Amino acid sequence: MDKLTTVDGRAYPFGMKNVDTDIVIPAHWLKTISRAGLGRGAFEVLRKEPGNVFDDPEYAGSPILIAGDNFGCGSSREHAAWALGDLGIKVVIAPSFSDIFSGNAFKNGILTVVLPQDAIDRLMEVAKSDPIHVDLEQQSVTTQYQDRFHFEIDPFRKHCLLGGLDEIGLTLDEADVIDAFEAKDAVSRPWLVPAVA
Amino acid sequence: MVKPRTLYEKIWDAHVVERRPDGTCLIYIDRHLVHEVTSPQAFEGLRLAGRKVRRPDLTLAVPDHNLPTTPRRDADGHRIPIADPESAQQLAALERNAPEFGVRLIGDADPEQGIVHVVGPEQGFTLPGTTLVCGDSHTSSHGALGALAFGIGTSEVEHVLATQTLLLKQSKTMQVVVEGELGYGVTPKDVALAICGTIGTAGGTGYVMEYRGSVFRDMSIEGRLTVANMSIEAGARSGLFAPDEKTFAYIEGRPMAPKGADWDAAVAWWKTLHTDEGATFDKTVVIDAADIVPNVTWGTSPEDVVPVTGVVPDPESFADASKRAAAQKSLDYMGLSAGQKMEDVAIEHVFIGSCTNSRIEDLRAAAGLLKGRHIAAGIKHAMVVPGSGLVKRMAEAEGLDRIFLDAGFEWREPGCSACLGMNPDKVPAGERCASTSNRNFMGRQGPGSRTHLVSPEMAAAAALTGRLTDVRALMGEKEGMVA
Ligand code: SF4
């Protein structure tokens, strides 16, 4: 996984609320068996509308997406995170996210930043003409106009994103505690292994 | 004295492998269901990293999303090729990955095949007090049996396959209390829709719900599965029912359930799995059973719920500006206008199926209404897709298939089908479907499709009249019908 420290660049001033993962990537794109190439399907339905931000050359290749409340609700499809990643998005900023989406985004090296609505409104304004700067180490979103918004992030997620660390590898390093749990469990819950029909 | 705990806290505590200083816990996962859509990239990841599946014995693979609901084998037992090459490719990937990694596969033509969330409980794979995950948001269904069950993404699928654990933060707790008795013609689906309508699709975000109160205690396991299934529609990744005698009776004797002394040991523990007197929840939602009526959705979010006897709301009636805009957008998409009576809305399609409402009780309920009747002339297409091969067989043994066929429904092979329009079962653009599934998102049942979420009884009623219909009117006509 790539390290994520600072992200500097234009942001899509998207702003839509309750964007479910069907909007991020429609179901017919879920038939892939590989992670690459899904950016072509990102926001497919919205992109049929003329003047949508995703096809506006002004924002082409922006690494930041600004959205409304409850971004990524609905289906748990991780394809939503892959599609955003494939589109080149490294940071999504919104007032709130669905739990599943923000987990999926993190696991794919995408940072989700929660900021209050007034900060979002301000960033939406700035995004129309100027870049936005996200600093994970400092936990801040800043603009060239002296705006500075602090955000919270889980320290473990921060550590992993900064270091580009693979979560599975980290857990496998602790195989001994899992072994110990299973040994204890085999005694206390002997019924756990499914009967073989 | 031990601090009183909620059911969720008890299950959580029993699965903590390791607690990190920041409160994140490594949680042991007891059960992992795998289907063909969200697993290929996970297996691909294991293969690339040279990793194994840690506990194939706790893992069960079942294809469901892509399978056609038409016959899958010809008279000689040969596979009838899946027309869509990408669907075929996903199925082939699961069929290759399961044996390669030693995971048991219930294949497309096995009699037990079905929607993962129907198969898990039915096989006795889903058990109270277990942690159960699947790369699918409706994994919340399994909470009906008292399993802490939640949907995960493909990276987490890979993490569970490799380590049998997940890194999680403890959720907040919410109790949803519904006391009283459900009225005539009011079903568990109506309760689920009422909850979505009351708390909204983000109302449960960050919470694990526990369903409490007499309505849920009195509810059948199948009804509980319907309610728990839609927890995610109200924003909660998991919804729990405390296991009780009904739960134990449902599980006992199922193929993968514990047997003999193991069964006794399991039940002894399961009996301790209830919220203690004095335990507190972070949030409480109370709904009076008497206020719940047969519901339908009017918009493109599961929270867009009105009584079937009601009217399409006026977008201007919403306080919040963004909600007003969303409502107008929904109405444009749905081809409805404010003030229109829901019962005047004509429909062309009826879908009885999905992990929400495709179990035997659902089919019995719909068939009870359809018996001796025929779908309306305006219905272009009505179909029943049983949740599993076992449900299908049981229904056929009871003669339900005949009732559906005689009424003008198609009787299909099990799978997700028109719930998400991934296989050929789709609702055409601009056409309207009364559907027993759980999501009415734009394009969910096919590009441009318009979905109205309803109970199986209401779907049957809509099929009979060709419009959204209060099932209670039709039930009145039929002698001896019970809710
Ligand atoms: S039936 Fe629908 S909701 Fe259930 S698992 Fe299948 S696609 Fe998902």
Side-chain angles (χ1 to χ4, degrees):
Chain A
M1 216 157 76
D2 292 343
K3 292 181 184 182
L4 190 149
T5 48
T6 59
V7 177
D8 234 325
R10 295 299 295 273
Y12 295 102
F14 178 44
M16 190 167 156
K17 294 194 182 189
N18 293 312
V19 172
D20 60 58
T21 51
D22 279 293
I23 296 180
V24 180
I25 182 96
H28 70 96
W29 285 90
L30 269 57
K31 292 182 175 178
T32 153
I33 58 168
S34 178
R35 303 181 187 210
L38 286 168
R40 284 176 292 126
F43 302 107
E44 188 178 56
V45 176
L46 299 175
R47 289 170 87 163
K48 290 189 179 133
E49 292 172 16
N52 74 82
V53 291
F54 299 105
D55 289 321
D56 186 333
E58 179 80 14
Y59 308 114
S62 294
I64 302 170
L65 176 69
I66 308 175
D69 253 332
N70 200 23
F71 185 85
C73 58
S75 133
S76 62
R77 63 188 67 157
E78 189 163 347
H79 305 68
W82 297 333
L84 293 182
D86 201 53
L87 203 63
I89 288 171
K90 298 193 160 44
V91 183
V92 186
I93 308 176
S96 66
F97 292 89
S98 92
D99 296 345
I100 295 179
F101 175 79
S102 57
N104 285 341
F106 157 67
K107 289 176 175 63
N108 288 280
I110 296 174
L111 170 66
T112 54
V113 171
V114 175
L115 287 177
Q117 187 64 49
D118 50 352
I120 299 289
D121 294 342
R122 170 66 189 151
L123 291 173
M124 289 276 290
E125 250 336 281
V126 173
K128 287 182 186 142
S129 50
D130 297 291
I132 283 170
H133 181 74
V134 179
D135 188 324
L136 177 57
E137 185 59 60
Q138 298 296 321
Q139 298 179 214
S140 69
V141 178
T142 53
T143 71
Q144 65 199 54
Y145 301 103
Q146 257 72 67
D147 299 291
R148 183 184 182 84
F149 304 107
H150 179 80
F151 62 88
E152 294 302 325
I153 179 168
D154 172 271
F156 176 72
R157 285 191 177 180
K158 180 175 177 179
H159 171 74
C160 288
L161 286 170
L162 285 172
L165 299 175
D166 161 16
E167 230 186 2
I168 295 176
L170 286 172
T171 306
L172 284 175
D173 286 345
E174 301 188 55
D176 52 334
V177 295
I178 305 173
D179 292 342
F181 182 93
E182 281 181 342
K184 182 178 68 110
D185 213 42
V187 179
S188 60
R189 295 193 301 162
W191 45 268
L192 190 66
V193 176
V196 185
Chain B
M1 224 186 81
V2 197
K3 186 176 164 287
R5 290 179 298 169
T6 62
L7 169 58
Y8 167 64
E9 288 156 350
K10 288 183 182 179
I11 301 176
W12 175 271
D13 290 349
H15 289 86
V16 175
V17 174
E18 188 181 54
R19 195 179 301 273
R20 306 258 158 95
D22 69 349
T24 309
C25 290
L26 193 63
I27 292 292
Y28 197 77
I29 300 301
D30 297 329
R31 294 285 185 265
H32 190 185
L33 285 161
V34 173
H35 65 84
E36 81 279 22
V37 181
T38 51
S39 69
Q41 288 90 345
F43 284 115
E44 178 191 43
L46 291 184
R47 203 177 286 119
L48 289 173
R51 289 167 178 154
K52 297 187 311 214
V53 173
R54 183 179 173 99
R55 292 294 300 267
D57 56 337
L58 303 182
T59 311
L60 179 63
V62 192
D64 54 8
H65 284 62
N66 281 292
L67 296 183
T69 54
T70 44
R72 295 162 192 163
R73 294 288 184 274
D74 64 19
D76 301 327
H78 298 121
R79 188 195 292 267
I80 299 173
I82 297 180
D84 181 318
E86 288 168 316
S87 289
Q89 170 182 280
Q90 283 200 337
L91 181 64
L94 189 66
E95 289 174 345
R96 192 172 59 239
N97 287 327
E100 179 182 335
F101 288 91
V103 171
R104 179 171 167 202
L105 172 74
I106 296 181
D108 69 322
D110 286 332
E112 297 87 3
Q113 183 273 332
I115 305 169
V116 271
H117 310 312
V118 175
V119 171
E122 191 173 73
Q123 290 299 314
F125 184 75
T126 306
L127 297 177
T130 53
T131 45
L132 183 152
V133 297
C134 174
D136 184 282
S137 57
H138 291 95
T139 307
S140 62
S141 311
H142 307 261
L145 299 177
L148 178 59
F150 48 90
I152 55 177
T154 299
S155 293
E156 290 171 303
V157 170
E158 187 179 339
H159 194 277
V160 174
L161 289 172
T163 71
Q164 206 59 35
T165 63
L166 278 176
L167 273 168
L168 297 169
K169 276 238 159 86
Q170 205 165 341
S171 301
K172 292 178 285 182
T173 53
M174 176 192 291
Q175 58 176 338
V176 178
V177 185
V178 186
E179 296 279 3
E181 247 179 76
L182 293 179
Y184 183 61
V186 181
T187 68
K189 180 63 162 288
D190 299 306
V191 177
L193 288 170
I195 295 168
C196 294
T198 305
I199 73 172
T201 51
T205 304
Y207 293 91
V208 165
M209 288 179 173
E210 183 178 338
Y211 296 101
R212 310 183 79 203
S214 58
V215 162
F216 299 122
R217 273 197 305 278
D218 295 345
M219 205 174 262
S220 68
I221 297 298
E222 313 219 318
R224 293 177 188 181
L225 283 159
T226 299
V227 171
N229 174 275
M230 290 194 66
S231 306
I232 186 68
E233 256 44 76
R237 277 176 88 176
S238 305
L240 282 166
F241 284 79
D244 59 11
E245 291 300 329
K246 254 187 252 183
T247 319
F248 310 147
Y250 175 90
I251 296 168
E252 191 168 15
R254 292 193 181 262
M256 301 173 97
K259 311 273 181 319
D262 279 351
W263 172 257
D264 297 334
V267 172
W269 185 56
W270 295 343
K271 285 186 172 166
T272 69
L273 296 177
H274 51 76
T275 292
D276 292 327
E277 194 79 44
T280 52
F281 289 85
D282 297 308
K283 191 169 170 184
T284 296
V285 173
V286 180
I287 298 174
D288 186 345
D291 293 340
I292 304 177
V293 294
N295 283 317
V296 293
T297 57
W298 54 266
T300 54
S301 161
E303 70 184 33
D304 297 340
V305 174
V306 282
V308 66
T309 50
V311 298
V312 176
D314 184 346
E316 290 308 313
S317 67
F318 295 101
D320 168 1
S322 74
K323 182 73 201 168
R324 279 200 293 276
Q328 190 53 57
K329 207 162 177 217
S330 286
L331 291 191
D332 294 344
Y333 180 84
M334 293 295 289
L336 297 172
S337 47
Q340 201 174 343
K341 283 177 69 179
M342 293 312 296
E343 286 204 270
D344 288 344
V345 175
I347 54 149
E348 293 94 31
H349 299 264
V350 178
F351 172 59
I352 298 178
S354 89
C355 55
T356 316
N357 283 121
S358 63
R359 285 166 288 267
I360 191 72
E361 257 183 29
D362 302 314
L363 304 192
R364 284 182 192 139
L369 206 75
L370 293 170
K371 190 167 187 184
R373 290 168 160 164
H374 200 274
I375 59 175
I379 302 292
K380 292 188 187 165
H381 191 209
M383 76 175 162
V384 184
V385 180
S388 73
L390 296 187
V391 169
K392 182 168 188 254
R393 261 164 216 148
M394 197 187 304
E396 287 169 351
E398 296 178 15
L400 304 186
D401 57 327
R402 283 285 13 132
I403 296 177
F404 285 116
L405 289 165
D406 291 346
F409 274 79
E410 287 181 14
W411 180 247
R412 297 292 196 101
E413 296 297 319
C416 293
S417 180
C419 174
L420 88 165
M422 201 164 196
N423 75 0
D425 307 341
K426 290 187 180 61
V427 175
E431 298 190 7
R432 204 175 285 288
C433 181
S435 176
T436 66
S437 54
N438 44 46
R439 285 191 170 151
N440 51 354
F441 299 157
M442 289 184 191
R444 172 75 176 182
Q445 295 193 290
S449 60
R450 295 167 169 170
T451 304
H452 294 277
L453 302 177
V454 290
S455 70
E457 289 87 333
M458 292 271 287
L464 291 173
T465 63
R467 52 186 172 74
L468 295 171
T469 298
D470 185 349
V471 64
R472 293 170 297 189
L474 290 181
M475 286 167 64
E477 290 171 23
K478 277 202 83 143
E479 203 123 345
M481 268 292 302
V482 285

